[in-house]
């Protein structure tokens, strides 16, 4: 392995310290000066390097960290302690070793036992990889003298020339010297905007990036040939920490170590355990005394705090610190939360309308009127007896809170709300693209994943062994066919498992209702339905939360065996599988209650049975909408409370506490290491690694489904979603700032596949709400009765119209109630909810004409509602432009200004050339005007005239 010769070490008498200063390879065309030695013998070296934020010289900033495990022998440890005892200012013998290491700790190596093969192989791979990083221009520094036993750190710094080179390769847009005025509103709009700014000033975050800007710097893809266009007055801050870490990460991904024909980038090295972690550093501490101001501390105070829940998010600062992809997530979450405010207000109004009109609702009043003396058929065989309809009074009155004419209006409103939200987000996204200089940005194909490269290598080795061919291989559908088959079978099995669990809960409800009907007192029998419903929903909730975690792991495993080529492909396939499984898991119990419960019951004397013993469930006399509301509210609120509080707060805290106990145990073994203050990279290593935005998006997408899909049954869903999101934003912010390692900044111009999923849910919500209003609620039967069957144009008699009659003598043998006199009198005719012919009819118990009239009205409503709302949604989509007019004007203005800049530059070059030509011409004329005698006597002057153009 080649070793860069441009490094220097301390004199031989100070072998306890090994420091290198690696300079980047010359890639711009000028020679660099040899670097000076790092001052490791200063009084407080940790303070000089700001406790790990800089190299030991205190000048070069740490842009990235590589972490690895190593075996530290007892001899090395004793030698390090002896060196510390002899000179307190001298760091350990393993501090800042040469990279890569010819002559690394030779004396130490003689006393150490030989490492096993795997450790030796990892060390050789690290040396080769780090040598390649040095050749790529990066500067490295090693630190194994840490408070974490057996953990070594490699600090990486990208010098200016490397940053310029990579910025040009990545086509990073950087601000130029040219500044221009942003178009401002005039007249009435300007006054309105100024009033709004004054009103909203208390809820604006106190950060510089959030203040409205009147001027903007013109941005242009960085070019080393055009450095004069950019504002390079402060080179240290020209590339911020986010950009520097992104550049280093790109170098790490494409740099390989080719050991035994195996090409490995940083992702492969991490997967194989050569390095245990790789991450950029946080800017500093966010709490404590005498903490220097930094972006992380500012984010913690103005964003990641529950005390500022009422303020806007400092999205520009979030993007500056975490990158565009994470900035877009929080911007989308903020827009979604803001849009929930009008939906919540309308939902509250609809609910209050139901509360205000509950005493005027004639159907519920008829059900509660004991004078009607309506006797209902038993809810189960043998053990259940006849019951009075008035006992379901509370359920009927509660159903009216959610099943009223205002619900239809709210469903239409929410469909238009979803379309408006999508359009509003597209416009917001374009504004952010303009502000963040992402206009014209196109994502390039990512580097292949480590697993993909390993599979390709395995395939090429097999082919080479058989046919002696060495052509470039790639994975085809034939190679992935077993994985595709496993995916298909696995997803079908998981969906079947969800259905089986829902079916098991149905069996529980039926059997529990029958058991409670036997054992309950007469007063307790009226609450059997509510008890069974509540306990079944809680069981569903627990199962959903458990299966959510299981399905997440299974979706990841199914995606891994597919071996997608790039990280983007991997993420999209993972999102599709996880969303499909979690969608089925969360909504299957709700779909059952909304569209299947009570539909296949049969009738008295001819019921439908499960396993020949369990009778199918019936809806309450007031319909299944109230039960659907209970199911939806408990599952939605339970998922939000438990997953937010337990999984997002409790589990990270528990992991942090476990790591603290492990570190405390290690510190007790080495008191001297415990007394040292931690470096920045040590503190960040103890944080949780960033696992991507998929869990965060998934949680919000499922919530968006709860808000839109079944909103006809639960108008308060937007309100509870709003309250949850206010906490969720600060919770996620706190997690990103304080609990997680700093993620690598990723450029992105949109939220990717999640936008298509949102649009799909919005379209599906229109269809589902149409069916909920039409088939689950009693809205359509009431309309049909009001306009076709009502004698006086009111709802009087509606309840009796929806009930059919049954002669108790027609019960099947062994199904009649054991106690027919439970009500105190003999029952001959009982009632049940259905549209069937009476027992005295010629075609008794057949479906009546009223059923077909109501069914036709229901289907007609579904068609009209769906097409009308779809048309209105498309109209909203068409009438609202995707790109705001002022943004399109600013983008056009930028293009014009950039053309002007280059035209002026070209004109300047032409004028300079013409000036040189004029000077050259005048010099030539002056020389030709000299006399021959003067020319002969001053031939030297004449030659100098002719040599002038060559000098230029």
């Amino acid at each position: 392995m080649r070793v860069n010769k441009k490094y220097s070490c301390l004199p031989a008498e100070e072998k306890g310290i090994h420091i290198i200063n690696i300079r980047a390879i010359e890639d711009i065309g000028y020679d660099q000066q040899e670097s000076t030695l790092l001052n490791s013998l200063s009084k407080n070296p940790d303070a000089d390097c700001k406790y790990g934020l800089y190299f030991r010289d205190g000048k070069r900033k740490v842009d990235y960290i590589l972490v690895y495990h190593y075996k530290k022998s007892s001899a090395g440890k004793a030698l390090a302690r002896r060196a510390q005892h002899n000179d307190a200012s001298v760091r350990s013998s393993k501090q800042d070793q040469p990279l890569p290491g010819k002559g690394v700790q030779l004396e130490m190596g003689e006393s150490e036992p030989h490492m096993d093969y795997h450790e030796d192989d990892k060390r050789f791979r690290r040396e080769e990889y780090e040598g390649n990083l040095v050749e790529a221009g990066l500067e490295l520094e090693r630190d194994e003298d840490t408070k974490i036993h057996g953990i070594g750190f490699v600090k990486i710094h990208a010098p200016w020339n490397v940053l310029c080179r990579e910025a040009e390769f990545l086509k990073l847009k950087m601000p130029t010297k040219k500044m221009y005025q942003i178009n401002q509103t005039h007249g009435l709009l300007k006054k309105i905007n100024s009033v709004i700014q004054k009103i909203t000033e208390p809820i604006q975050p106190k950060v510089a990036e959030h203040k409205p800007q009147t001027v903007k710097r013109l941005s242009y893809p960085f070019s080393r040939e055009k450095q004069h266009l950019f504002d390079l007055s402060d080179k240290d801050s020209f590339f911020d920490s986010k950009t520097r870490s992104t550049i280093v990460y790109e170098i790490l991904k494409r740099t390989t170590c080719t050991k035994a024909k195996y090409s490995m980038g940083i992702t492969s090295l991490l997967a194989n355990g050569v390095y245990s972690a790789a991450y950029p550093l946080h800017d500093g501490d966010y709490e404590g005394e005498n903490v220097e101001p930094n972006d992380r501390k500012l984010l913690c105070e103005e964003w990641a705090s529950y005390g500022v829940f009422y303020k806007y998010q400092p999205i520009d600062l979030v993007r500056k610190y975490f990158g565009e992809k994470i900035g877009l997530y929080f911007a989308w979450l903020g827009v979604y939360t803001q849009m929930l405010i009008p939906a919540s207000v309308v939902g509250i109004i609809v609910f209050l309308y139901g509360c205000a009109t509950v005493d005027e609702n004639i159907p519920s009043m008829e059900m509660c009127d004991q004078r009607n003396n309506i006797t209902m058929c038993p809810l189960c065989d043998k053990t259940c007896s006849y019951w009075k309809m008035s006992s379901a009074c509370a359920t009927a009155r509660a159903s009216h809170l959610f099943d009223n004419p205002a619900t239809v209006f709210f469903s239409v409103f929410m469909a238009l709300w979803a379309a408006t939200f999508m359009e509003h987000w597209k416009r917001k996204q374009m504004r952010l693209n303009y502000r963040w200089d992402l206009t014209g940005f196109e994502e390039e194909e990512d580097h292949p994943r480590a697993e993909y490269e390993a599979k390709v290598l395995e395939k090429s080795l097999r082919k080479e062994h058989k046919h002696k061919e060495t052509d470039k291989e790639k994975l085809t559908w034939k190679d992935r066919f077993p994985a595709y088959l496993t995916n298909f079978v696995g997803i079908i099995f998981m969906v079947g498992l969800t259905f089986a669990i829902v079916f098991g809960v149905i069996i529980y409800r039926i059997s529990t209702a029958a058991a409670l009907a036997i054992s309950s007192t007469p007063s307790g029998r009226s609450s059997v339905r509510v008890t069974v419903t509540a306990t079944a929903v809680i069981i569903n909730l627990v199962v959903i939360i458990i299966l959510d975690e299981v399905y997440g792991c299974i979706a990841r495993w199914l995606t891994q065996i597919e071996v997608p080529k790039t990280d983007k492909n991997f993420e999209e396939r993972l999102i599709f599988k996880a969303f499909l499984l979690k969608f089925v898991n969360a909504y299957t119990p709700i779909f059952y209650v909304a569209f299947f419960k009570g539909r296949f019951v049969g009738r008295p004397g001819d019921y439908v049975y499960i396993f020949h013993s369990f009778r199918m469930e019936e809806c309450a006399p007031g319909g299944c909408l109230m039960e659907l509301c209970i199911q939806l509210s408990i599952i939605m609120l339970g998922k939000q409370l438990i997953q937010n509080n337990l999984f997002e707060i409790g589990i990270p805290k528990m992991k942090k506490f476990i790591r603290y106990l492990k570190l405390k145990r290690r510190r007790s073994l080495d008191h001297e290491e415990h007394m040292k203050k931690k470096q920045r990279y040590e503190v960040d290593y103890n944080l949780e690694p960033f696992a991507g935005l998929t869990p965060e998006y998934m949680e919000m997408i499922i919530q968006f489904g709860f808000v839109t899909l079944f909103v006809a049954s639960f108008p308060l869903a937007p309100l509870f979603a709003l309250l949850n999101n206010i906490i969720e934003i600060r919770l996620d912010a706190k997690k990103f700032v304080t609990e997680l390692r700093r993620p690598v900044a990723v450029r992105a111009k949109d939220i990717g596949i999640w936008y298509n999923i949102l649009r799909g849910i919005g379209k599906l919500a229109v269809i589902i709400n149409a069916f909920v209003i039409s088939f689950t609620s009693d809205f359509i039967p009431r309309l049909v009765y009001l306009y076709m069957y009502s004698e006086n144009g009111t709802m009087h008699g509606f309840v009796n119209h929806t009930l059919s009659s049954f002669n108790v003598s027609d019960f099947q043998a062994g199904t009649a109630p054991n106690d027919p006199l439970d009500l105190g009198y003999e029952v001959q005719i009982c009632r049940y909810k259905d549209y069937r012919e009476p027992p005295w009819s010629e075609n008794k118990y057949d479906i009546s004409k009223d059923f077909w009239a109501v069914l036709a009205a229901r289907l007609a409503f579904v068609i009209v509602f769906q097409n009308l709302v779809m048309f209105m949604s498309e109209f909203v989509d068409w009438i609202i432009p995707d790109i705001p007019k002022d943004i399109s004007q600013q983008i056009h203005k930028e293009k014009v200004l950039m053309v002007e800049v280059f035209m002026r530059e070209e004109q300047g070059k032409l004028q300079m050339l013409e000036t040189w030509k004029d000077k050259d011409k005048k010099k030539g004329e002056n020389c030709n005007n000299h006399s021959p005698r003067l020319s002969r006597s001053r031939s030297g002057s004449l030659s100098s005239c002719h040599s002038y153009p060559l000098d230029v």
Side-chain angles (χ1 to χ4, degrees):
M1 188 188 72
R2 281 179 38 183
V3 180
N4 195 339
K5 297 180 180 180
K6 290 191 176 182
Y7 67 89
S8 57
C9 294
L10 292 177
E13 59 270 13
E14 295 181 359
K15 290 182 179 179
I17 302 170
H18 290 270
I19 302 171
I20 63 165
N21 193 341
I22 306 168
R23 304 303 294 173
I25 298 174
E26 312 299 328
D27 61 347
I28 294 187
Y30 59 89
D31 293 332
Q32 301 180 25
Q33 297 179 355
E34 292 292 335
S35 62
T36 59
L37 289 177
L38 300 179
N39 184 12
S40 289
L41 301 179
S42 60
K43 294 182 178 180
N44 192 354
D46 289 341
D48 291 342
C49 67
K50 294 188 178 180
Y51 295 98
L53 288 174
Y54 288 82
F55 275 23
R56 303 301 300 173
D57 57 6
K59 297 178 181 178
R60 291 173 293 169
K61 188 173 183 179
V62 176
D63 298 320
Y64 218 87
I65 291 292
L66 299 179
V67 187
Y68 61 92
H69 290 271
Y70 69 95
K71 290 186 177 180
K72 194 173 183 180
S73 67
S74 57
K77 207 169 181 181
L79 185 61
R81 289 179 178 175
R82 198 178 306 123
Q84 288 180 353
H85 179 72
N86 292 338
D87 190 353
S89 64
V90 180
R91 300 285 288 178
S92 170
S93 61
K94 286 204 167 188
Q95 173 71 37
D96 302 327
Q97 297 178 13
L99 294 177
K102 278 189 177 181
V104 177
Q105 299 296 326
L106 295 176
E107 295 181 359
M108 189 82 72
E110 295 173 359
S111 61
E112 290 182 357
H114 190 271
M115 295 183 181
D116 58 18
Y117 169 76
H118 294 291
E119 291 296 325
D120 225 22
D121 181 63
K122 289 180 182 178
R123 181 167 56 83
F124 288 145
R125 289 185 183 182
R126 284 198 299 267
E127 289 178 354
E128 181 186 358
Y129 183 71
E130 289 162 7
N132 292 339
L133 292 180
V134 170
E135 292 181 356
L138 298 178
E139 300 178 3
L140 313 181
E141 188 176 79
R142 192 194 302 273
D143 184 5
E144 291 182 356
D145 180 29
T146 64
K147 295 180 72 173
I148 307 175
H149 180 70
I151 299 293
F153 297 89
V154 176
K155 295 173 278 187
I156 303 177
H157 169 77
W160 172 256
N161 55 338
V162 174
L163 293 173
C164 294
R165 180 191 69 200
E166 298 298 322
E168 185 173 352
F169 291 166
L170 297 175
K171 301 177 182 177
L172 296 180
K173 275 191 173 183
M174 304 302 295
T176 63
K177 298 176 182 178
K178 176 69 176 177
M179 301 181 72
Y180 67 95
Q181 193 81 17
I182 298 177
N183 293 339
Q184 300 294 320
T185 55
H186 301 284
L188 182 61
L189 285 177
K190 185 176 182 181
K191 294 180 180 179
I192 294 174
N193 288 337
S194 62
V195 171
I196 293 175
Q197 288 179 4
K198 289 180 181 179
I199 294 174
T200 59
E201 187 175 356
I203 60 176
Q204 300 291 344
K206 299 177 181 178
V207 296
E209 286 79 2
H210 198 77
K211 295 179 180 179
Q213 297 179 348
T214 57
V215 293
K216 186 178 184 292
R217 286 189 179 274
L218 194 63
S219 296
Y220 185 75
F222 188 83
S223 172
R224 287 174 290 180
E225 294 180 354
K226 300 184 180 298
Q227 287 192 30
H228 58 278
L229 295 177
F230 301 94
D231 184 13
L232 302 180
S233 56
D234 186 5
K235 290 186 177 181
D236 293 335
S237 62
F238 183 73
F239 295 105
D240 56 15
S241 58
K242 166 186 67 78
T243 308
R244 297 175 71 97
S245 62
T246 302
I247 288 174
V248 173
Y249 183 64
E250 288 296 325
I251 298 175
L252 293 176
K253 283 200 297 185
R254 73 165 184 260
T255 303
T256 59
C257 77
T258 55
K259 186 176 183 292
K261 296 185 179 181
Y262 193 82
S263 178
M264 302 179 71
I266 185 60
T267 52
S268 302
L269 295 173
L270 289 170
N272 288 279
V274 178
Y275 292 102
S276 59
Y279 52 89
L281 292 179
H282 280 292
D283 279 357
D285 293 325
Y286 60 89
E287 61 182 358
E289 298 180 358
N290 301 324
V291 176
E292 294 185 3
N294 58 72
D295 287 343
R296 188 188 187 194
K297 185 175 185 295
L298 187 58
L299 282 172
C300 187
E301 293 173 351
E302 294 294 329
W303 182 52
S305 173
Y306 295 110
V308 294
F309 72 92
Y310 60 92
K311 289 188 176 183
Y312 286 101
Q313 299 182 85
I315 292 298
D316 292 323
L317 184 59
V318 174
R319 172 253 179 181
K320 177 185 175 185
Y321 193 79
F322 291 109
E324 286 79 5
K325 192 171 185 178
I326 294 177
L328 281 173
Y329 163 71
F330 281 103
W332 173 83
L333 184 56
V335 170
Y336 171 46
T337 304
Q338 289 176 12
M339 289 293 293
L340 283 173
I341 295 175
S344 303
V345 172
V346 177
I348 293 172
I349 293 173
V350 170
F351 178 75
L352 293 178
Y353 171 81
C355 295
T357 58
V358 68
D359 292 330
E360 302 173 2
N361 183 40
I362 296 176
S364 63
M365 291 170 63
E366 288 184 348
M367 290 181 63
C368 295
D369 191 356
Q370 296 183 1
R371 293 174 297 178
N372 289 332
N373 197 26
I374 299 177
T375 303
M376 303 296 294
C377 295
L379 296 174
C380 60
D381 294 341
K382 294 184 181 181
T383 56
C384 298
S385 185
Y386 305 104
W387 55 286
K388 293 278 191 169
M389 174 171 273
S390 59
S391 63
C393 175
T395 306
R397 289 174 63 86
S399 297
H400 179 73
L401 301 178
F402 306 100
D403 188 3
N404 55 68
T407 305
V408 181
F409 159 76
F410 190 58
S411 300
V412 176
F413 171 81
M414 287 303 295
L416 298 179
W417 173 88
T420 307
F421 163 62
M422 301 304 296
E423 291 304 309
H424 179 45
W425 166 244
K426 281 196 291 187
R427 291 169 63 85
K428 177 70 173 179
Q429 195 170 251
M430 284 305 303
R431 288 188 181 276
L432 293 177
N433 286 342
Y434 165 71
R435 267 163 46 192
W436 296 349
D437 297 323
L438 292 173
T439 52
F441 167 71
E442 295 294 337
E443 293 185 11
E444 298 179 358
E445 186 175 357
D446 202 357
H447 299 279
R449 297 175 64 248
E451 293 80 0
Y452 180 84
E453 289 184 338
K455 280 287 184 181
V456 169
L457 175 68
E458 183 181 341
K459 180 181 178 181
S460 61
L461 289 177
R462 284 199 309 266
K463 207 165 186 179
E464 182 181 351
H465 179 72
K466 291 181 181 179
H467 307 289
K468 303 297 181 182
E469 295 179 0
T470 58
D471 294 338
K472 181 69 175 177
E473 294 290 339
K474 64 179 182 179
L475 297 184
T476 62
W477 69 269
K478 294 181 180 179
D479 300 318
R480 293 192 173 103
F481 180 75
Y484 291 154
L485 184 62
T486 306
N487 271 260
F488 179 77
V489 174
I491 290 175
I492 294 297
F493 175 77
M494 291 299 117
V495 173
L497 176 63
T498 303
F499 290 161
I501 291 173
V502 172
F503 183 74
V505 175
I506 295 171
I507 299 298
Y508 161 80
R509 294 161 67 114
I510 297 172
S511 58
T512 306
L516 290 176
I518 298 174
S519 59
S520 297
T521 60
S523 61
R525 290 173 189 172
S526 61
S527 61
V528 167
R529 191 185 297 274
V530 176
T531 304
V532 171
T533 300
T535 54
V537 172
I538 291 173
I539 293 173
N540 274 327
L541 172 63
V542 173
V543 171
I544 286 171
I545 292 175
I546 293 173
L547 288 184
D548 255 359
E549 302 302 315
V550 175
Y551 286 169
C553 298
I554 291 175
R556 181 169 291 275
W557 176 74
L558 290 175
T559 309
Q560 286 174 346
I561 63 174
E562 282 188 47
V563 197
K565 183 175 181 180
T566 63
D567 287 331
K568 184 179 180 181
N569 292 339
F570 181 88
E571 186 180 17
E572 289 181 350
R573 296 186 184 192
L574 173 62
I575 288 170
F576 173 75
K577 295 181 184 64
F579 174 74
L580 177 63
L581 293 176
K582 292 190 177 186
F583 182 90
V584 172
N585 180 42
Y587 295 115
T588 300
I590 302 173
F591 269 94
Y592 164 72
V593 175
F595 303 120
F596 296 99
K597 184 178 179 181
R599 309 292 173 192
F600 312 102
V601 177
R603 61 168 179 83
D606 188 21
Y607 282 115
V608 177
Y609 291 91
I610 303 174
F611 304 136
H612 302 286
S613 57
F614 295 108
R615 217 171 83 186
M616 289 294 291
E617 288 185 287
E618 297 181 45
C619 288
C624 279
L625 196 67
M626 185 61 199
E627 189 171 341
L628 176 61
C629 174
I630 295 173
Q631 184 104 5
L632 182 65
S633 59
I634 292 180
I635 290 178
M636 178 181 176
L637 297 178
K639 272 179 63 68
Q640 290 180 352
L641 292 175
I642 294 176
Q643 286 188 333
N644 286 353
N645 294 329
L646 180 61
F647 294 160
E648 294 196 19
I649 298 177
I651 292 179
K653 294 288 185 185
M654 189 184 304
K655 289 181 179 179
K656 192 174 181 180
F657 181 69
I658 292 173
R659 287 195 303 268
Y660 170 76
L661 293 179
K662 290 181 180 179
L663 290 174
K664 191 175 181 182
R665 191 178 305 150
R666 288 174 178 172
R667 290 168 185 169
S668 62
L669 297 175
D670 196 337
H671 179 69
E672 294 174 2
E673 290 183 357
H674 173 65
M675 297 306 293
K676 295 183 297 185
K677 183 176 178 179
K678 277 187 177 182
Q679 304 287 333
R680 176 79 262 152
Y681 42 84
E682 296 176 85
V683 177
D684 287 3
Y685 176 72
N686 291 327
L687 299 176
E688 280 289 307
F690 175 63
L693 289 170
T694 300
E696 314 298 335
Y697 272 115
M698 188 69 68
E699 181 184 346
M700 290 295 104
I701 296 297
I702 296 296
Q703 184 203 84
F704 182 78
F706 282 123
V707 169
T708 55
L709 292 180
F710 296 94
V711 74
S713 64
F714 190 39
L716 295 179
L719 174 63
F720 289 112
L722 172 64
L723 297 176
N724 172 80
N725 288 4
I726 291 173
I727 301 173
E728 180 74 19
I729 290 175
R730 307 304 165 180
L731 179 66
D732 286 346
K734 196 172 186 66
K735 181 171 66 175
F736 273 84
V737 173
T738 64
E739 300 288 341
L740 298 179
R741 293 175 190 162
R742 188 174 183 178
V744 179
V746 178
R747 287 189 297 169
K749 62 187 302 184
D750 52 41
I751 59 175
I753 192 175
W754 296 110
Y755 182 80
N756 297 327
I757 293 176
L758 285 169
R759 285 190 65 88
I761 292 177
K763 303 292 185 186
L764 183 62
V766 177
I767 302 172
I768 290 179
N769 280 306
F771 277 94
V772 168
I773 295 170
S774 182
F775 286 89
T776 308
S777 74
D778 282 339
F779 177 74
I780 298 300
R782 287 173 185 168
L783 285 181
V784 172
Y785 177 79
L786 185 64
Y787 293 106
M788 291 181 63
Y789 299 103
S790 177
E791 296 178 356
N792 53 7
T794 64
M795 293 301 296
H796 289 288
F798 170 74
V799 174
N800 187 58
H801 178 75
T802 59
L803 297 178
S804 299
S805 300
F806 176 75
N807 193 331
V808 297
S809 61
D810 293 333
F811 272 122
Q812 292 181 352
T815 62
N818 294 332
D819 187 8
L821 300 176
D822 185 57
L823 294 178
Y825 56 89
E826 184 180 357
V827 178
Q828 294 182 349
I829 299 293
C830 66
R831 310 294 296 275
Y832 61 98
K833 189 172 183 179
D834 204 348
Y835 292 99
R836 290 182 180 270
E837 297 291 343
W840 51 84
S841 173
E842 294 181 1
N843 303 316
K844 64 177 184 179
Y845 307 134
D846 286 350
I847 293 175
S848 65
K849 295 179 180 179
D850 298 343
F851 172 83
W852 299 112
V854 171
L855 179 62
R858 282 173 164 166
L859 293 176
F861 176 83
V862 169
I863 295 172
V864 172
F865 181 90
Q866 176 184 335
N867 286 280
L868 177 63
V869 175
M870 287 286 191
F871 170 76
M872 295 171 69
S873 300
E874 293 297 328
F875 180 74
V876 170
D877 192 357
W878 172 76
I879 201 171
I880 301 177
D882 293 345
I883 304 177
K885 185 177 180 181
D886 60 325
I887 296 299
S888 60
Q889 290 175 351
Q890 297 291 354
I891 293 174
H892 177 71
K893 185 176 181 179
E894 278 196 351
K895 292 180 180 179
V896 172
L897 289 174
M898 187 54 65
V899 171
E900 288 180 2
V901 168
F902 285 118
M903 290 298 294
R904 287 177 184 174
E905 186 180 359
E906 292 297 323
Q907 290 174 1
K909 290 180 180 179
L910 291 174
Q911 289 177 359
M912 190 177 296
L913 289 174
E914 290 177 358
T915 303
W916 286 349
K917 288 180 180 179
D918 292 341
K919 289 183 178 180
D920 183 29
K921 189 176 180 180
K922 289 180 181 179
K923 284 285 184 181
E925 290 177 355
N926 292 336
C927 292
N928 292 331
N929 290 334
H930 289 316
S931 61
R933 183 176 57 82
L934 186 61
S935 299
R936 282 192 297 271
S937 63
R938 296 186 177 181
S939 59
S941 299
L942 187 61
S943 64
S944 66
C945 288
H946 288 291
S947 66
Y948 175 74
L950 295 177
D951 294 339
V952 174

